């Protein structure tokens, strides 16, 4: 006999321990972080790119039902928002928002760190992955001198980092964004492919695979 309960709604919920069960096998995934936005600058000057946010952490634990309360609180973490776009010339971008953590009982996974903003002189740094039994991987750095760096790939179950954005160099050359990191090859047997980076000129990137 088995029972599978999945919680995907952000925020607090409750879980009731089923009667006659001996163990609860729990898998916890936190929210990934948002990427930073790029700077807005005059023609002939650097507009630094925003960076990718870090992937969320992952934790798995088996807990005897006897050690749990009859009703436990579950917290589902939220993915971080991207940095706010800029419209005023000579203005730095905004950093992304960190992902928030998830927990069940005394087990948890922390959210990824926010992607850095682009400035009028430099591009942002990628956010670190969230912690847990398995940590997420870092987001890619933004770049105004080349294509944005891809998010760091992950061979395990935690979240991969987002790709870094592409900025504009002093010669006016626009750069493409980096791809999101791939995930899961060693544990799933197949790879979940990260989303493609946006083309130079400000197009949106593609969605990554889901499972």
């Amino acid at each position: 006999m088995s029972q599978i309960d999945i919680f995907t709604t952000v925020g607090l919920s409750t879980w009731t321990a089923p009667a006659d069960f001996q163990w609860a096998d729990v898998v916890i995934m936190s929210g990934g972080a948002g990427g930073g936005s790029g700077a807005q600058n005059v023609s002939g000057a650097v507009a630094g790119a925003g960076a990718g946010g870090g992937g969320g952490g992952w934790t798995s634990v088996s807990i005897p039902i006897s050690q749990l309360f009859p009703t436990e609180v579950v917290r589902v973490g939220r993915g971080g928002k991207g940095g706010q776009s800029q419209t005023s010339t000579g203005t730095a971008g905004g950093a992304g928002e960190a992902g928030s953590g998830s927990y069940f009982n005394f087990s948890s996974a922390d959210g990824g760190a926010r992607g850095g903003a682009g400035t009028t002189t430099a591009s942002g740094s990628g956010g670190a992955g969230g912690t847990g039994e398995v940590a997420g991987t870092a987001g890619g750095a933004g770049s105004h001198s080349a294509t944005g760096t891809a998010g760091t790939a992950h061979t395990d179950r935690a979240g991969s980092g987002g790709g870094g954005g592409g900025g504009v160099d002093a010669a006016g050359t626009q750069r493409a964004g980096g791809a999101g990191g791939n995930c899961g090859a060693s544990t799933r047997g197949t790879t979940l492919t990260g989303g493609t980076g946006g083309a130079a000129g400000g197009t949106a990137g593609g969605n990554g695979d889901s499972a």
Side-chain angles (χ1 to χ4, degrees):
M1 183 171 60
S2 64
Q3 175 179 316
I4 299 176
D5 300 311
I6 300 175
F7 296 84
T8 57
T9 302
V10 172
L12 299 178
S13 303
T14 56
W15 176 82
T16 300
D20 302 325
F21 278 56
Q22 301 300 311
W23 290 83
D25 296 322
V26 182
V27 176
I28 304 167
M29 186 75 190
S30 65
S37 64
Q40 183 73 249
N41 214 348
V42 297
S43 177
V46 168
W58 181 96
T59 294
S60 175
V61 62
S62 294
I63 308 172
I65 293 293
S66 61
Q67 295 182 11
L68 298 173
F69 291 106
T71 300
E72 289 280 354
V73 175
V74 177
R75 184 180 192 269
V76 176
R78 179 171 63 84
K81 299 177 182 178
Q84 185 173 355
S85 63
Q86 304 298 325
T87 58
S88 299
T89 300
T91 304
E97 180 183 55
S100 59
S102 302
Y103 65 75
F104 176 88
N105 189 253
F106 293 107
S107 299
S108 63
D110 292 333
R114 65 187 187 178
T119 71
T120 55
T121 59
S123 293
S125 299
T131 58
E133 179 185 348
V134 180
T137 57
S143 178
H144 56 277
S145 59
T147 298
T149 305
T152 305
H154 209 311
T155 58
D156 213 321
R157 293 150 286 194
S160 298
V168 183
D169 66 17
T173 304
Q174 299 177 345
R175 307 295 181 176
N182 296 338
C183 185
S186 66
T187 54
R188 292 177 49 84
T190 58
T191 298
L192 300 178
T193 303
T196 56
T203 64
N207 293 328
D209 292 340
S210 60

